[in-house]
Amino acid sequence: MFVTFEGCEGVGKSTQLAMLKEYLKNSGQEAVYLREPGSTEISEKIRGIILDPANTDMTAETEALLYAAARAQLVRQVIRPALDAGKTVICDRYIDSSVAYQGYARGLGEDFVKKINSYAMENAMPDVTIFIDLRPSASFRSVSRNDRLEREALSFHDKVYEGFVAQTATSNGRIVSIKPEKEKIFTHNKIIAALREKGAIR
């Protein structure tokens, strides 16, 4: 199965992915772990261009197309071959981030983002997506603000959040909203329960 993790900046996605990886390792379950944009040599180079704080002149359209280009490389080089081989793939961000960040926050619209990504994804849609549902006003304090997107104003990240919430409502259950708890282990337990219910893990 293809599992993705989504959420705004600073919500604890990386921590929860690390905890899930440890859980799967300890329970003898194998998976391929990826991040977007990145996880291939070419996609990582595109990531560097997108997130470089010096690239202040980058247009919204260029940003969206670069994400799609990095995704096309990752899908064809890693994701599709892994899924075809019967492996579980777990990816930190994917198409829902593009819709939230470029479609909603940049104002390009959901249709534009989905159209350009229809060429990139090769029908590799996630089976289940975990959305760590925390508003930027509650999480933005912990953001490092080292890259170009992290440096955007809180109002931008509020629109990103609205984009994720809107997609969750229309996803027919693919996107599972997980409200994070103060204790990380409780959030982890919620995620494990959700993935088990979806049949993504044991």
Side-chain angles (χ1 to χ4, degrees), residues 73-112:
Q73 184 69 28
L74 181 60
V75 168
R76 283 156 183 78
Q77 189 174 341
V78 183
I79 294 176
R80 192 72 262 168
L83 293 174
D84 289 345
K87 297 178 181 178
T88 296
V89 176
I90 298 174
C91 193
D92 182 353
R93 297 197 181 283
Y94 195 61
I95 180 61
D96 302 305
S97 275
S98 287
V99 172
Y101 279 79
Q102 285 77 52
Y104 280 80
R106 296 290 191 214
L108 293 178
E110 187 171 347
D111 289 343
F112 173 85

Side-chain angles (χ1 to χ4, degrees), residues 3 18 21-22 26 29 55 63 68 83 87 91 98 106 117 133 135 138 140 149 153 157 159 172 184 186 188 197:
V3 177
K21 186 174 183 178
E22 186 69 15
N26 291 339
Q29 301 180 66
N55 292 333
E63 184 180 273
L83 293 174
K87 297 178 181 178
C91 193
S98 287
R106 296 290 191 214
N117 277 279
D133 187 349
R135 288 185 174 275
F140 206 53
L149 290 177
H157 292 281
K159 291 177 183 176
N172 294 319
K184 295 172 184 176
F186 295 148
H188 169 71
E197 185 179 340

Side-chain angles (χ1 to χ4, degrees), residues 23-196:
Y23 169 83
L24 294 178
K25 178 183 175 182
N26 291 339
S27 58
Q29 301 180 66
E30 295 184 0
V32 176
Y33 300 94
L34 306 169
R35 73 170 183 176
E36 267 219 332
S39 296
T40 74
E41 184 176 353
I42 292 171
S43 299
E44 287 290 340
K45 289 178 178 177
I46 296 172
R47 180 188 182 93
I49 295 170
I50 294 171
L51 300 182
D52 188 343
N55 292 333
T56 55
D57 291 337
M58 186 181 295
T59 69
E61 291 83 0
T62 299
E63 184 180 273
L65 287 163
L66 284 172
Y67 274 109
R71 183 166 297 132
Q73 184 69 28
L74 181 60
V75 168
R76 283 156 183 78
Q77 189 174 341
V78 183
I79 294 176
R80 192 72 262 168
L83 293 174
D84 289 345
K87 297 178 181 178
T88 296
V89 176
I90 298 174
C91 193
D92 182 353
R93 297 197 181 283
Y94 195 61
I95 180 61
D96 302 305
S97 275
S98 287
V99 172
Y101 279 79
Q102 285 77 52
Y104 280 80
R106 296 290 191 214
L108 293 178
E110 187 171 347
D111 289 343
F112 173 85
V113 173
K114 287 188 172 179
K115 183 176 181 179
I116 62 173
N117 277 279
S118 67
Y119 303 105
M121 295 196 315
E122 199 177 320
N123 295 320
M125 272 298 287
D127 296 295
V128 56
T129 298
I130 298 295
F131 166 46
I132 300 182
D133 187 349
L134 187 64
R135 288 185 174 275
S137 56
S139 63
F140 206 53
R141 301 185 295 277
S142 63
V143 175
S144 60
R145 295 183 175 83
N146 289 327
D147 68 46
R148 194 172 60 85
L149 290 177
E150 288 173 348
R151 293 184 179 188
E152 291 285 354
L154 181 59
S155 58
F156 172 86
H157 292 281
D158 282 336
K159 291 177 183 176
V160 170
Y161 176 77
E162 291 166 8
F164 281 128
V165 171
Q167 290 179 87
T168 302
T170 59
S171 71
N172 294 319
R174 172 180 65 83
I175 303 176
V176 180
S177 175
I178 300 289
K179 295 283 188 182
E181 303 286 345
K182 187 174 181 181
E183 297 294 333
K184 295 172 184 176
I185 188 63
F186 295 148
T187 306
H188 169 71
N189 290 340
K190 283 183 177 181
I191 291 170
I192 295 300
L195 291 176
R196 280 177 176 165

